[in-house]
Amino acid sequence: MAYFRVVSQQLAEMQKLFCRDDDWCILIMADPDALASALALKRLMRTRVRSVTIAHVNKISRPDNLAMIRHLHLPVLRWREALRGQAQRFAMVDSQPSHSPFFPDVDYAILIDHHPAPPEEDGPQAVFQDIRPSYGSVSTMMTEYLYGAGLRPGRLLATALQYGIRTDTGTFSRHCTDTDLRAYQYLARFADTALLERILRSEYLPQWLPYFSRAIESMRPCGRGRYTWLGRVGSADLLVVVADFFLRVLGLRWVAVCGESGGRLVAIFRGGGERLNLGAVAALTFEGLGTGGGHAAMARAEMALKNLPKKEEGGREDAEAFTFRCVHEAAERCQSASRARSGDVL
Ligand SMILES: [Mn+2]
């Protein structure tokens, strides 16, 4: 039995499109799977066409994507109209033209994807297309193509493809098949484990570090959990990043990482446990003034700063003191409700 699905027919159809006089542009919405797949397609084309450019239409800001580009020396450009005239042929991997208004309106020669295909009556989106929604990642499909073409992936390409498979399958915890796992194992022969580890651990941008020190300095007990205040942050996502970090600390039952962003007070909850449902805490936090909810172990509450209660002597309450009080009271209410349910005697 062959190691992978036999792709010789598809490969031959695809290779028919390669011509030594053509410059190609591979378009992607950059994420690990798309970046790795584009690199693999470039490898398939390399000796058969004049040039290959990989262009992404989205801004790349996630640290793991930036780490992948840096450590694997991925040659990518941001798409701009000027690139249109520099290529005669266009390809797309891990997306379809309808997925983003930022994809240029060009004739695609190759389309390889694992997202659901549009209805058949809409017609093909490319001269050659291979759309397989059953696959966990396009990186798996590209590994099959490389194998079918008799090309051993180099160290950087193999590492990129492994990272693509890991990311899209949540390290094989969701939507994955035996083929995804087999491709991953096959790539392990060529990949660089230390490099992969380096990329996997690139979770933070250097400009985020001051928020971590603010979080650690401002941390204080809040019932059985901890509360931290980061003040004004550019994006509420930063509160999430910091809150996720504290999940790694043994013995912190739960943490609320709070701050102001875009004119709103935001509280991010992480941790929880059998006795305390953080979704319920978040729902009570800004009760009547904002919104809140989530799961038992991760939740979020927000309210507009303009809803801060007025003080008797005029002006508004201090945002930080108010947020602490709201979180503390909500947690105490949930804690005592759970004690009552479990029959604890106070
Ligand atoms: Mn994908």
Side-chain angles (χ1 to χ4, degrees):
M1 202 183 82
Y3 199 77
F4 289 120
R5 176 172 67 100
V6 176
V7 292
S8 41
Q9 197 194 327
Q10 284 100 324
L11 202 53
E13 269 177 56
M14 196 195 319
Q15 285 170 340
K16 261 191 257 161
L17 298 166
F18 301 162
C19 162
R20 281 188 200 286
D21 296 330
D22 283 342
D23 300 293
W24 282 74
C25 181
I26 305 173
L27 282 140
I28 55 169
M29 186 78 85
D31 71 15
D33 188 31
L35 286 163
S37 301
L39 198 63
L41 181 57
K42 181 173 178 167
R43 177 73 185 85
L44 283 167
M45 291 176 168
R46 202 172 67 187
T47 56
R48 296 165 180 261
V49 306
R50 189 160 60 200
S51 74
V52 187
T53 302
I54 301 171
H56 56 95
V57 295
N58 56 322
K59 184 168 185 273
I60 302 178
S61 52
R62 288 180 49 117
D64 56 344
N65 290 348
L66 291 168
M68 187 174 176
I69 290 169
R70 175 181 300 189
H71 296 306
L72 301 178
H73 312 293
L74 299 189
V76 291
L77 295 175
R78 180 86 186 256
W79 168 259
R80 50 183 194 276
E81 273 305 311
L83 292 175
R84 188 190 288 262
Q86 293 174 20
Q88 297 82 49
R89 294 286 211 165
F90 295 87
M92 183 176 287
V93 288
D94 197 32
S95 267
Q96 291 167 39
S98 59
H99 289 181
S100 164
F102 299 109
F103 283 133
D105 182 20
V106 294
D107 290 329
Y108 290 95
I110 294 175
L111 174 68
I112 304 173
D113 191 23
H114 69 139
H115 297 94
E120 256 175 43
E121 57 266 29
D122 289 2
Q125 304 172 86
V127 181
F128 171 86
Q129 65 174 41
D130 190 3
I131 299 176
R132 296 181 189 273
S134 63
Y135 277 60
S137 75
V138 177
S139 296
T140 303
M141 298 172 69
M142 298 314 295
T143 304
E144 289 184 328
Y145 277 120
L146 290 168
Y147 184 83
L151 294 173
R152 276 165 162 254
R155 183 176 67 98
L156 299 182
L157 175 56
T159 308
L161 288 166
Q162 275 200 320
Y163 189 50
I165 296 172
R166 269 183 94 117
T167 306
D168 270 29
T169 64
T171 316
F172 308 106
S173 66
R174 57 166 194 261
H175 186 73
C176 87
T177 62
D178 287 351
T179 316
D180 295 305
L181 201 53
R182 208 173 314 135
Y184 191 84
Q185 285 168 339
Y186 167 72
L187 292 164
R189 299 180 201 170
F190 314 106
D192 183 332
T193 315
L195 201 53
L196 183 62
E197 191 66 24
R198 186 93 203 265
I199 298 165
L200 284 168
R201 287 184 179 258
S202 298
E203 293 178 60
Y204 310 119
L205 293 176
Q207 59 267 35
W208 295 353
L209 294 180
Y211 295 102
F212 285 90
S213 72
R214 227 186 273 174
I216 290 164
E217 277 163 23
S218 72
M219 183 168 275
R220 56 171 156 152
C222 182
R224 294 183 172 192
R226 301 285 179 95
Y227 168 93
T228 84
W229 175 256
L230 300 194
R232 194 166 294 162
V233 295
S235 155
D237 291 348
L238 269 169
L239 303 175
V240 174
V241 166
V242 172
D244 283 336
F245 168 79
F246 285 114
L247 276 178
R248 299 172 170 219
V249 183
L250 179 70
L252 282 192
R253 288 168 190 254
W254 59 269
V255 64
V257 177
C258 308
E260 292 175 36
S261 176
R264 303 181 69 76
L265 283 177
V266 183
I268 304 293
F269 297 87
R270 288 291 185 272
E274 279 158 34
R275 294 284 184 83
L276 189 66
N277 180 333
L278 293 177
V281 177
L284 290 177
T285 298
F286 298 129
E287 204 181 16
L289 295 169
T291 56
H295 303 285
M298 51 195 295
R300 175 181 184 124
E302 343 192 339
M303 67 172 252
L305 273 168
K306 64 175 168 44
N307 290 345
L308 267 177
K310 290 206 170 68
K311 287 194 288 198
E312 274 177 28
E313 60 271 32
R316 301 220 179 247
E317 248 190 88
D318 175 63
E320 127 113 282
F322 171 78
T323 307
F324 178 79
R325 204 175 68 234
C326 291
V327 170
H328 188 250
E329 281 171 13
E332 288 300 295
R333 279 167 69 188
C334 290
Q335 197 81 63
S336 48
S338 109
R339 270 190 219 112
R341 270 200 308 279
S342 66
D344 273 4
V345 181
L346 290 173

